[in-house]
Amino acid sequence: KRRKVIEEMVTLLETDGINAADALEMSITDALEYLTELQVDADSRRTIRLRIEHDVRPFDVALAESLLESEDSNLAEQVDSIMKNFRNRLDSLNDSIDEWRNKGVTMPHLDRIRPEELLEWEANIHEVEKTVEIHLRALERWKDFEILWPDRTAGVSIVGRLEHTEEFVDFVDSLDHEWRELELEGMTLIGEWEDQGFAMDMWRIRLADEPRSALAWLKAEEG
């Protein structure tokens, strides 16, 4: 019966790719000890393979295949280190995206970045960061226009949407350009009245605060 157990253990180990045929030539006691050691090793390798499939493959298929073929005695430690590294990188990326969202920038990707998307995001992260920075700068200027020119900013749907950054920046630039044009027109008009001896300091302040209403007010007062 014990010899039968040994034969079954050898067959079972062979299914895991482990040649345990030497046990068939050993004494029963030695064979059982030898096979037990091999079984422990097989269980350990099976556990490592499952961890690679579950925790590494979603991040990097090629790396997972390489690890599965590895015969390194420190494979378990390597897998632990790789898993920790991937998880830290994924958490860091998602934290950055959450921070951008809190500042008002929304991604086309509405949920959290998944493991299988990490490498692609990391490959493009510098471009994404540059685009976010550009969008945030435009957003700061936009907030002033929301307060001062609400009629020009109402209903604009591209605000904060990263995929529309170029369009959004162009729109904010157009508002900036209009602001400067109104300031220039107002300063010209104020200069003309100053040349005629009028004190225009208050009008200069009004113009600097918000040129569109100040200019309309000044023109209304010309008469």
Side-chain angles (χ1 to χ4, degrees), residues 6 10 12 19 25 40 69 75 83 87 101-102 106-107 113 116 122 128 133 149 154 172 197 200 207 209 213 216:
I6 290 172
V10 169
L12 183 62
N19 183 0
E25 307 299 326
V40 170
E69 294 173 3
L75 186 58
M83 288 165 49
R87 287 294 172 187
R101 285 176 175 143
N102 289 336
T106 59
M107 308 283 132
I113 304 303
E116 58 269 25
E122 287 184 333
V128 174
E133 184 178 347
W149 292 359
V172 175
M200 302 297 291
L207 190 69
D209 287 342
S213 61

Side-chain angles (χ1 to χ4, degrees), residues 187-198:
M187 292 300 292
T188 300
L189 190 56
I190 286 173
E192 291 174 356
W193 285 109
E194 284 180 331
D195 290 343
Q196 297 185 51
F198 285 90

Side-chain angles (χ1 to χ4, degrees), residues 94-143:
N94 276 311
D95 287 345
S96 294
I97 292 175
D98 287 341
E99 183 179 351
W100 296 335
R101 285 176 175 143
N102 289 336
K103 291 180 178 179
V105 177
T106 59
M107 308 283 132
H109 191 294
L110 297 179
D111 55 0
R112 293 178 69 79
I113 304 303
R114 295 183 289 272
E116 58 269 25
E117 299 169 322
L118 175 65
L119 297 184
E120 182 180 356
W121 269 85
E122 287 184 333
N124 298 288
I125 192 60
H126 293 303
E127 288 300 319
V128 174
E129 288 173 338
K130 285 167 56 178
T131 304
V132 169
E133 184 178 347
I134 291 170
H135 203 110
L136 286 174
R137 287 201 300 267
L139 200 57
E140 285 301 310
R141 292 148 56 203
W142 172 262
K143 291 175 182 177

Side-chain angles (χ1 to χ4, degrees), residues 16-216:
D16 284 329
I18 299 174
N19 183 0
D22 288 348
L24 299 176
E25 307 299 326
M26 299 178 184
S27 67
I28 290 177
T29 301
D30 290 344
L32 289 172
E33 290 180 357
Y34 174 67
L35 292 172
T36 299
E37 291 177 1
L38 291 180
Q39 187 62 57
V40 170
D41 183 62
D43 290 342
S44 176
R45 286 179 171 274
R46 188 180 300 109
T47 299
I48 292 173
R49 288 199 300 270
L50 289 173
R51 291 169 63 201
I52 291 171
E53 292 291 348
H54 183 268
D55 295 313
V56 178
R57 186 178 292 277
F59 288 98
D60 191 329
V61 174
L63 178 58
E65 292 294 339
S66 176
L67 291 171
L68 288 172
E69 294 173 3
S70 175
E71 297 293 334
D72 196 315
S73 60
N74 295 320
L75 186 58
E77 289 79 2
Q78 288 185 37
V79 172
D80 282 340
S81 178
I82 290 169
M83 288 165 49
K84 183 177 180 180
N85 178 267
F86 275 136
R87 287 294 172 187
N88 287 341
R89 285 156 55 189
L90 183 63
D91 289 343
S92 177
L93 177 58
N94 276 311
D95 287 345
S96 294
I97 292 175
D98 287 341
E99 183 179 351
W100 296 335
R101 285 176 175 143
N102 289 336
K103 291 180 178 179
V105 177
T106 59
M107 308 283 132
H109 191 294
L110 297 179
D111 55 0
R112 293 178 69 79
I113 304 303
R114 295 183 289 272
E116 58 269 25
E117 299 169 322
L118 175 65
L119 297 184
E120 182 180 356
W121 269 85
E122 287 184 333
N124 298 288
I125 192 60
H126 293 303
E127 288 300 319
V128 174
E129 288 173 338
K130 285 167 56 178
T131 304
V132 169
E133 184 178 347
I134 291 170
H135 203 110
L136 286 174
R137 287 201 300 267
L139 200 57
E140 285 301 310
R141 292 148 56 203
W142 172 262
K143 291 175 182 177
D144 292 333
F145 287 117
E146 280 188 309
I147 296 171
L148 298 171
W149 292 359
D151 59 311
R152 299 297 305 279
T153 59
V156 179
S157 61
I158 58 176
V159 182
R161 296 175 61 182
L162 194 66
E163 70 272 27
H164 293 290
T165 293
E166 185 175 350
E167 184 182 355
F168 177 57
V169 169
D170 287 344
F171 186 66
V172 175
D173 284 345
S174 71
L175 295 178
D176 274 335
H177 179 73
E178 183 178 350
W179 182 288
R180 290 192 296 271
E181 289 292 319
L182 290 169
E183 276 189 318
L184 181 60
E185 183 182 353
M187 292 300 292
T188 300
L189 190 56
I190 286 173
E192 291 174 356
W193 285 109
E194 284 180 331
D195 290 343
Q196 297 185 51
F198 285 90
M200 302 297 291
D201 291 346
M202 182 58 68
W203 286 104
R204 286 184 180 276
I205 294 173
R206 290 170 179 165
L207 190 69
D209 287 342
E210 198 281 279
R212 188 172 64 161
S213 61
L215 186 58

